[in-house]
Amino acid sequence: MLKTRIAEALNHQINAELYSSCLYLSVESYFHSVSLSGFASWMRVQVQEELLHAMKLYDFIISRSGRALLEAVAKPDADWESPLAAFEQVLRHEEGITAKINELMDIAAAEQDHATKIFLQWFVSEQVEEESAVGEILSKLRLIGKDSSGLFLLDAELGKRVFTPPAQQGA
Ligand code: OFO
């Protein structure tokens, strides 16, 4: 059985992950509006991953005989002045999510909830990957600057990303 403090913190994290998926769906829509279909496709995969993160938390709460309680999801931004500005926000957002996961881990440690600590370990590793992937795209966008041919090459590269369903991830 989950302690109340842990259950509340995990439920807040479900909301944070659902907001991530909502924000990234909005970023995807922005990329469609500026004809960057590869960037949009990359974001769609990210949306699917964020929904997976939310469902992992949801399923964990249920498996510990807790109650998954949903909260309202905040409205995301809708427009950015450039792909660079959009990815800068994505990185800031991921850094914020990393901080939340770390706080969750601290709460699980303080409550001596070892099962939750082990569960959260997956999220700790996932955040390292997410920040790294977004940071790499951001670096490329900074190198590209205003060179539209570079932007189109990156668009083609990002369009190759595919979502790997959980069974194939071993998640
Ligand atoms: Fe982007 O890792 Fe979940 O929120």
Side-chain angles (χ1 to χ4, degrees):
M1 186 73 180
L2 283 173
K3 288 183 183 168
T4 307
R5 188 176 173 213
I6 303 263
E8 280 177 1
L10 290 170
N11 273 310
H12 286 322
Q13 193 61 31
I14 291 180
N15 183 263
E17 301 295 343
L18 289 176
Y19 175 74
S20 298
S21 70
C22 198
L23 172 64
Y24 296 161
L25 196 56
S26 187
V27 177
E28 179 194 334
S29 174
Y30 158 72
F31 283 135
H32 282 300
S33 77
V34 291
S35 304
L36 289 170
S37 59
F39 277 80
S41 171
W42 193 96
M43 269 302 157
R44 172 62 63 92
V45 175
Q46 200 59 33
V47 169
Q48 290 169 297
E49 292 215 341
E50 299 303 350
L51 290 173
L52 172 70
H53 297 170
M55 292 311 298
K56 277 179 93 78
L57 289 152
Y58 180 99
D59 288 339
F60 179 72
I61 292 171
I62 303 288
S63 75
R64 297 284 306 280
S65 304
R67 184 77 208 280
L69 296 169
L70 300 173
E71 302 161 12
V73 177
K75 183 179 175 183
D77 287 345
D79 269 307
W80 290 267
E81 66 181 26
S82 64
L84 178 67
F87 263 93
E88 281 172 343
Q89 182 171 352
V90 171
L91 183 60
R92 276 197 306 277
H93 180 70
E94 285 302 329
E95 288 168 347
I97 291 291
T98 299
K100 285 181 192 293
I101 295 292
N102 288 340
E103 278 170 33
L104 256 175
M105 190 62 113
D106 289 346
I107 293 170
E111 297 289 338
Q112 298 184 321
D113 184 338
H114 303 296
T116 297
K117 277 167 46 189
I118 291 167
F119 167 73
L120 288 172
Q121 193 60 54
W122 183 89
F123 285 85
V124 171
S125 304
E126 177 74 359
Q127 283 312 117
V128 173
E129 277 182 32
E130 297 230 323
E131 283 192 31
S132 164
V134 173
E136 194 180 316
I137 294 168
L138 205 44
S139 298
K140 286 179 180 172
L141 281 169
R142 286 186 179 128
L143 278 174
I144 286 168
K146 294 193 185 310
D147 171 15
S148 54
S149 55
L151 192 61
F152 289 127
L153 279 174
L154 183 57
D155 190 57
E157 181 189 324
L158 295 186
K160 292 180 190 153
R161 185 186 188 197
V162 290
F163 177 65
T164 306
Q168 292 167 37
Q169 291 177 351

PDB file of all heavy atoms in Angstrom, residues 54-75:
ATOM      1  N   ALA A  54       3.162   8.718 -18.397  1.00  0.00           N
ATOM      2  CA  ALA A  54       1.978   8.912 -17.539  1.00  0.00           C
ATOM      3  C   ALA A  54       1.356   7.561 -17.191  1.00  0.00           C
ATOM      4  O   ALA A  54       0.997   7.308 -16.029  1.00  0.00           O
ATOM      5  CB  ALA A  54       0.953   9.805 -18.250  1.00  0.00           C
ATOM      6  N   MET A  55       1.254   6.676 -18.180  1.00  0.00           N
ATOM      7  CA  MET A  55       0.610   5.371 -17.944  1.00  0.00           C
ATOM      8  C   MET A  55       1.458   4.472 -17.042  1.00  0.00           C
ATOM      9  O   MET A  55       0.920   3.679 -16.274  1.00  0.00           O
ATOM     10  CB  MET A  55       0.312   4.677 -19.274  1.00  0.00           C
ATOM     11  CG  MET A  55      -0.762   5.359 -20.103  1.00  0.00           C
ATOM     12  SD  MET A  55      -2.264   5.762 -19.167  1.00  0.00           S
ATOM     13  CE  MET A  55      -2.830   4.140 -18.666  1.00  0.00           C
ATOM     14  N   LYS A  56       2.775   4.615 -17.140  1.00  0.00           N
ATOM     15  CA  LYS A  56       3.645   3.820 -16.245  1.00  0.00           C
ATOM     16  C   LYS A  56       3.365   4.196 -14.785  1.00  0.00           C
ATOM     17  O   LYS A  56       3.287   3.330 -13.915  1.00  0.00           O
ATOM     18  CB  LYS A  56       5.136   4.088 -16.557  1.00  0.00           C
ATOM     19  CG  LYS A  56       5.692   3.286 -17.703  1.00  0.00           C
ATOM     20  CD  LYS A  56       7.156   3.625 -17.960  1.00  0.00           C
ATOM     21  CE  LYS A  56       8.071   2.701 -17.208  1.00  0.00           C
ATOM     22  NZ  LYS A  56       8.226   1.380 -17.828  1.00  0.00           N
ATOM     23  N   LEU A  57       3.237   5.503 -14.535  1.00  0.00           N
ATOM     24  CA  LEU A  57       2.943   5.977 -13.178  1.00  0.00           C
ATOM     25  C   LEU A  57       1.560   5.510 -12.732  1.00  0.00           C
ATOM     26  O   LEU A  57       1.380   5.032 -11.614  1.00  0.00           O
ATOM     27  CB  LEU A  57       3.027   7.511 -13.140  1.00  0.00           C
ATOM     28  CG  LEU A  57       4.446   8.067 -13.252  1.00  0.00           C
ATOM     29  CD1 LEU A  57       4.424   9.453 -13.885  1.00  0.00           C
ATOM     30  CD2 LEU A  57       5.118   8.121 -11.881  1.00  0.00           C
ATOM     31  N   TYR A  58       0.598   5.647 -13.635  1.00  0.00           N
ATOM     32  CA  TYR A  58      -0.784   5.236 -13.352  1.00  0.00           C
ATOM     33  C   TYR A  58      -0.812   3.754 -12.961  1.00  0.00           C
ATOM     34  O   TYR A  58      -1.376   3.379 -11.924  1.00  0.00           O
ATOM     35  CB  TYR A  58      -1.617   5.498 -14.611  1.00  0.00           C
ATOM     36  CG  TYR A  58      -3.069   5.135 -14.534  1.00  0.00           C
ATOM     37  CD1 TYR A  58      -4.042   6.103 -14.277  1.00  0.00           C
ATOM     38  CD2 TYR A  58      -3.491   3.823 -14.757  1.00  0.00           C
ATOM     39  CE1 TYR A  58      -5.387   5.770 -14.224  1.00  0.00           C
ATOM     40  CE2 TYR A  58      -4.836   3.487 -14.703  1.00  0.00           C
ATOM     41  CZ  TYR A  58      -5.770   4.459 -14.439  1.00  0.00           C
ATOM     42  OH  TYR A  58      -7.099   4.133 -14.385  1.00  0.00           O
ATOM     43  N   ASP A  59      -0.187   2.919 -13.791  1.00  0.00           N
ATOM     44  CA  ASP A  59      -0.198   1.467 -13.540  1.00  0.00           C
ATOM     45  C   ASP A  59       0.532   1.112 -12.242  1.00  0.00           C
ATOM     46  O   ASP A  59       0.131   0.198 -11.527  1.00  0.00           O
ATOM     47  CB  ASP A  59       0.439   0.716 -14.721  1.00  0.00           C
ATOM     48  CG  ASP A  59      -0.451   0.727 -15.953  1.00  0.00           C
ATOM     49  OD1 ASP A  59      -1.671   0.950 -15.808  1.00  0.00           O
ATOM     50  OD2 ASP A  59       0.067   0.523 -17.070  1.00  0.00           O
ATOM     51  N   PHE A  60       1.604   1.856 -11.948  1.00  0.00           N
ATOM     52  CA  PHE A  60       2.351   1.579 -10.716  1.00  0.00           C
ATOM     53  C   PHE A  60       1.483   1.876  -9.492  1.00  0.00           C
ATOM     54  O   PHE A  60       1.447   1.097  -8.534  1.00  0.00           O
ATOM     55  CB  PHE A  60       3.648   2.394 -10.675  1.00  0.00           C
ATOM     56  CG  PHE A  60       4.448   2.173  -9.421  1.00  0.00           C
ATOM     57  CD1 PHE A  60       5.126   0.980  -9.219  1.00  0.00           C
ATOM     58  CD2 PHE A  60       4.517   3.146  -8.435  1.00  0.00           C
ATOM     59  CE1 PHE A  60       5.859   0.756  -8.051  1.00  0.00           C
ATOM     60  CE2 PHE A  60       5.248   2.940  -7.271  1.00  0.00           C
ATOM     61  CZ  PHE A  60       5.923   1.739  -7.080  1.00  0.00           C
ATOM     62  N   ILE A  61       0.791   3.015  -9.536  1.00  0.00           N
ATOM     63  CA  ILE A  61      -0.081   3.376  -8.405  1.00  0.00           C
ATOM     64  C   ILE A  61      -1.129   2.273  -8.194  1.00  0.00           C
ATOM     65  O   ILE A  61      -1.346   1.816  -7.069  1.00  0.00           O
ATOM     66  CB  ILE A  61      -0.764   4.747  -8.653  1.00  0.00           C
ATOM     67  CG1 ILE A  61       0.277   5.867  -8.619  1.00  0.00           C
ATOM     68  CG2 ILE A  61      -1.856   5.001  -7.611  1.00  0.00           C
ATOM     69  CD1 ILE A  61      -0.246   7.229  -9.074  1.00  0.00           C
ATOM     70  N   ILE A  62      -1.753   1.836  -9.285  1.00  0.00           N
ATOM     71  CA  ILE A  62      -2.780   0.783  -9.180  1.00  0.00           C
ATOM     72  C   ILE A  62      -2.161  -0.504  -8.618  1.00  0.00           C
ATOM     73  O   ILE A  62      -2.752  -1.165  -7.762  1.00  0.00           O
ATOM     74  CB  ILE A  62      -3.404   0.494 -10.574  1.00  0.00           C
ATOM     75  CG1 ILE A  62      -4.002   1.761 -11.189  1.00  0.00           C
ATOM     76  CG2 ILE A  62      -4.430  -0.655 -10.495  1.00  0.00           C
ATOM     77  CD1 ILE A  62      -5.260   2.285 -10.584  1.00  0.00           C
ATOM     78  N   SER A  63      -0.956  -0.841  -9.113  1.00  0.00           N
ATOM     79  CA  SER A  63      -0.328  -2.101  -8.674  1.00  0.00           C
ATOM     80  C   SER A  63       0.018  -2.076  -7.184  1.00  0.00           C
ATOM     81  O   SER A  63       0.176  -3.116  -6.562  1.00  0.00           O
ATOM     82  CB  SER A  63       0.926  -2.400  -9.506  1.00  0.00           C
ATOM     83  OG  SER A  63       1.982  -1.552  -9.109  1.00  0.00           O
ATOM     84  N   ARG A  64       0.134  -0.861  -6.619  1.00  0.00           N
ATOM     85  CA  ARG A  64       0.432  -0.734  -5.180  1.00  0.00           C
ATOM     86  C   ARG A  64      -0.855  -0.469  -4.377  1.00  0.00           C
ATOM     87  O   ARG A  64      -0.810   0.044  -3.265  1.00  0.00           O
ATOM     88  CB  ARG A  64       1.421   0.419  -4.954  1.00  0.00           C
ATOM     89  CG  ARG A  64       2.795   0.244  -5.604  1.00  0.00           C
ATOM     90  CD  ARG A  64       3.708  -0.717  -4.874  1.00  0.00           C
ATOM     91  NE  ARG A  64       3.884  -0.408  -3.476  1.00  0.00           N
ATOM     92  CZ  ARG A  64       4.719   0.526  -2.990  1.00  0.00           C
ATOM     93  NH1 ARG A  64       5.484   1.224  -3.824  1.00  0.00           N
ATOM     94  NH2 ARG A  64       4.805   0.750  -1.687  1.00  0.00           N
ATOM     95  N   SER A  65      -1.987  -0.798  -4.997  1.00  0.00           N
ATOM     96  CA  SER A  65      -3.301  -0.628  -4.345  1.00  0.00           C
ATOM     97  C   SER A  65      -3.599   0.828  -3.998  1.00  0.00           C
ATOM     98  O   SER A  65      -4.319   1.108  -3.026  1.00  0.00           O
ATOM     99  CB  SER A  65      -3.410  -1.481  -3.075  1.00  0.00           C
ATOM    100  OG  SER A  65      -3.150  -2.826  -3.378  1.00  0.00           O
ATOM    101  N   GLY A  66      -3.034   1.739  -4.801  1.00  0.00           N
ATOM    102  CA  GLY A  66      -3.314   3.159  -4.604  1.00  0.00           C
ATOM    103  C   GLY A  66      -4.415   3.601  -5.547  1.00  0.00           C
ATOM    104  O   GLY A  66      -4.935   2.813  -6.332  1.00  0.00           O
ATOM    105  N   ARG A  67      -4.758   4.860  -5.471  1.00  0.00           N
ATOM    106  CA  ARG A  67      -5.811   5.413  -6.320  1.00  0.00           C
ATOM    107  C   ARG A  67      -5.171   6.457  -7.228  1.00  0.00           C
ATOM    108  O   ARG A  67      -4.559   7.420  -6.741  1.00  0.00           O
ATOM    109  CB  ARG A  67      -6.889   6.050  -5.426  1.00  0.00           C
ATOM    110  CG  ARG A  67      -8.074   6.588  -6.133  1.00  0.00           C
ATOM    111  CD  ARG A  67      -9.049   5.509  -6.584  1.00  0.00           C
ATOM    112  NE  ARG A  67      -9.773   5.966  -7.767  1.00  0.00           N
ATOM    113  CZ  ARG A  67     -10.812   6.799  -7.732  1.00  0.00           C
ATOM    114  NH1 ARG A  67     -11.279   7.206  -6.580  1.00  0.00           N
ATOM    115  NH2 ARG A  67     -11.394   7.202  -8.856  1.00  0.00           N
ATOM    116  N   ALA A  68      -5.286   6.225  -8.552  1.00  0.00           N
ATOM    117  CA  ALA A  68      -4.776   7.205  -9.514  1.00  0.00           C
ATOM    118  C   ALA A  68      -5.821   8.298  -9.662  1.00  0.00           C
ATOM    119  O   ALA A  68      -6.950   8.031 -10.083  1.00  0.00           O
ATOM    120  CB  ALA A  68      -4.501   6.526 -10.851  1.00  0.00           C
ATOM    121  N   LEU A  69      -5.440   9.522  -9.267  1.00  0.00           N
ATOM    122  CA  LEU A  69      -6.384  10.642  -9.308  1.00  0.00           C
ATOM    123  C   LEU A  69      -5.898  11.675 -10.319  1.00  0.00           C
ATOM    124  O   LEU A  69      -4.774  12.166 -10.225  1.00  0.00           O
ATOM    125  CB  LEU A  69      -6.491  11.278  -7.920  1.00  0.00           C
ATOM    126  CG  LEU A  69      -7.069  10.353  -6.831  1.00  0.00           C
ATOM    127  CD1 LEU A  69      -6.887  10.962  -5.455  1.00  0.00           C
ATOM    128  CD2 LEU A  69      -8.541  10.048  -7.107  1.00  0.00           C
ATOM    129  N   LEU A  70      -6.736  11.965 -11.287  1.00  0.00           N
ATOM    130  CA  LEU A  70      -6.329  12.858 -12.373  1.00  0.00           C
ATOM    131  C   LEU A  70      -6.637  14.313 -12.054  1.00  0.00           C
ATOM    132  O   LEU A  70      -7.628  14.610 -11.384  1.00  0.00           O
ATOM    133  CB  LEU A  70      -7.009  12.431 -13.669  1.00  0.00           C
ATOM    134  CG  LEU A  70      -6.658  11.014 -14.091  1.00  0.00           C
ATOM    135  CD1 LEU A  70      -7.477  10.573 -15.284  1.00  0.00           C
ATOM    136  CD2 LEU A  70      -5.177  10.874 -14.388  1.00  0.00           C
ATOM    137  N   GLU A  71      -5.762  15.186 -12.545  1.00  0.00           N
ATOM    138  CA  GLU A  71      -5.920  16.625 -12.317  1.00  0.00           C
ATOM    139  C   GLU A  71      -6.047  17.322 -13.665  1.00  0.00           C
ATOM    140  O   GLU A  71      -5.664  16.752 -14.695  1.00  0.00           O
ATOM    141  CB  GLU A  71      -4.678  17.172 -11.592  1.00  0.00           C
ATOM    142  CG  GLU A  71      -4.397  16.491 -10.263  1.00  0.00           C
ATOM    143  CD  GLU A  71      -2.953  16.695  -9.792  1.00  0.00           C
ATOM    144  OE1 GLU A  71      -2.235  17.541 -10.364  1.00  0.00           O
ATOM    145  OE2 GLU A  71      -2.550  15.989  -8.860  1.00  0.00           O
ATOM    146  N   ALA A  72      -6.535  18.565 -13.653  1.00  0.00           N
ATOM    147  CA  ALA A  72      -6.648  19.334 -14.891  1.00  0.00           C
ATOM    148  C   ALA A  72      -5.259  19.564 -15.487  1.00  0.00           C
ATOM    149  O   ALA A  72      -4.300  19.807 -14.749  1.00  0.00           O
ATOM    150  CB  ALA A  72      -7.319  20.674 -14.616  1.00  0.00           C
ATOM    151  N   VAL A  73      -5.175  19.476 -16.805  1.00  0.00           N
ATOM    152  CA  VAL A  73      -3.897  19.708 -17.486  1.00  0.00           C
ATOM    153  C   VAL A  73      -3.867  21.155 -17.963  1.00  0.00           C
ATOM    154  O   VAL A  73      -4.810  21.635 -18.594  1.00  0.00           O
ATOM    155  CB  VAL A  73      -3.742  18.738 -18.687  1.00  0.00           C
ATOM    156  CG1 VAL A  73      -2.447  19.007 -19.444  1.00  0.00           C
ATOM    157  CG2 VAL A  73      -3.802  17.285 -18.204  1.00  0.00           C
ATOM    158  N   ALA A  74      -2.768  21.857 -17.641  1.00  0.00           N
ATOM    159  CA  ALA A  74      -2.651  23.273 -18.017  1.00  0.00           C
ATOM    160  C   ALA A  74      -2.574  23.446 -19.529  1.00  0.00           C
ATOM    161  O   ALA A  74      -2.139  22.541 -20.253  1.00  0.00           O
ATOM    162  CB  ALA A  74      -1.406  23.868 -17.359  1.00  0.00           C
ATOM    163  N   LYS A  75      -3.010  24.611 -19.988  1.00  0.00           N
ATOM    164  CA  LYS A  75      -2.967  24.918 -21.431  1.00  0.00           C
ATOM    165  C   LYS A  75      -1.527  25.201 -21.843  1.00  0.00           C
ATOM    166  O   LYS A  75      -0.860  26.034 -21.233  1.00  0.00           O
ATOM    167  CB  LYS A  75      -3.840  26.149 -21.680  1.00  0.00           C
ATOM    168  CG  LYS A  75      -3.933  26.519 -23.138  1.00  0.00           C
ATOM    169  CD  LYS A  75      -4.844  27.730 -23.304  1.00  0.00           C
ATOM    170  CE  LYS A  75      -4.846  28.167 -24.752  1.00  0.00           C
ATOM    171  NZ  LYS A  75      -5.653  29.374 -24.942  1.00  0.00           N
TER     172      LYS A  75
END
